Amino acid sequence: MSESESGSFHEMREPRIEKVVVHMGVGEGGRELANAEEILEEIVGQEAVRTTATRAATQFGSRVGDPVGAKVTLRGEEAREFLETALSIADLSERQFDDTGNFSFGVEEHTEFPSQEYDPQIGIYGLDVTVNLVRPGYRVKKRDKASSSIPQSHRLTPEDAIAFLEDAFDVEVDKA
């Protein structure tokens, strides 16, 4: 029986949330982007950072460096609190998980969050949420001095990530 089947993890193998990135892409600057930033800040309670185009897209009229969206990175308790709200809105599937246990999902309408109401002057915006899960000890891969790779046996699997979410956040992940 594996850890994901038993539902309990050893303390050094217990997955944890490294970060949660909430992103809104609007494709252009101006009032639309300002609205998106305001909505994002209201939802997550943290200041948004503008994202810029990395490539020119002439069909959309954007050039390299043009502002096209906004994002917020959450860590620690803020990330956990946001996920508790966002996961109750989202439908998760096994296909949304990558090989290392990270996952992404979208929320089609910002008005689904409890603190938001529809305003005809603003409209409706969707947002993307990306969650990065790690195990204790993953810092050895990222540190400057004496970095080393994570052994295959300690890497987070999609099954372990799903078991962690179902246990910690009481959500159901659909089987593909």
Side-chain angles (χ1 to χ4, degrees):
M1 182 186 262
S2 73
E3 291 174 318
S4 59
E5 292 169 1
S6 68
S8 62
F9 294 94
H10 181 275
E11 67 181 277
M12 285 303 291
R13 294 184 55 82
E14 176 75 30
R16 59 185 166 88
I17 302 163
E18 182 180 34
K19 66 181 174 180
V20 175
V21 178
V22 185
H23 177 261
M24 288 180 128
V26 292
E28 60 187 51
R31 190 69 225 147
E32 295 248 336
L33 182 56
N35 288 340
E37 287 174 336
E38 289 172 18
I39 291 168
L40 201 54
E41 289 170 6
E42 285 178 25
I43 290 173
V44 298
Q46 192 170 309
E47 189 174 342
V49 175
R50 284 194 176 182
T51 57
T52 57
T54 56
R55 289 185 290 217
T58 55
Q59 66 270 30
F60 299 117
S62 68
R63 296 184 301 241
V64 175
D66 283 353
V68 292
K71 70 177 180 179
V72 175
T73 302
L74 302 170
R75 297 178 193 273
E77 195 56 39
E78 291 87 13
R80 181 173 278 284
E81 289 172 7
F82 175 78
L83 275 183
E84 287 173 0
T85 306
L87 287 174
S88 65
I89 296 170
D91 294 325
L92 292 179
S93 167
E94 270 185 347
R95 294 174 299 169
Q96 293 168 298
F97 289 80
D98 69 4
D99 293 339
T100 57
N102 304 314
F103 65 98
S104 296
F105 61 93
V107 178
E108 288 186 22
E109 298 181 2
H110 75 275
T111 56
E112 293 181 31
F113 284 92
S115 63
Q116 300 295 304
E117 292 181 13
Y118 176 69
D119 182 358
Q121 301 293 328
I122 295 175
I124 294 178
Y125 289 85
L127 50 101
D128 302 314
V129 180
T130 302
V131 181
N132 187 0
L133 297 176
V134 296
R135 283 195 164 125
Y138 266 57
R139 188 181 154 275
V140 300
K141 185 177 181 181
K142 295 181 178 180
R143 65 186 178 191
D144 291 336
K145 284 188 174 182
S147 63
S148 65
S149 62
I150 305 297
Q152 186 68 34
S153 61
H154 194 64
R155 292 186 185 155
L156 196 61
T157 63
E159 294 79 21
D160 288 340
I162 291 169
F164 169 71
L165 282 178
E166 289 176 341
D167 183 48
F169 294 100
D170 196 31
V171 296
E172 177 131 358
V173 178
D174 297 331
K175 305 299 180 213

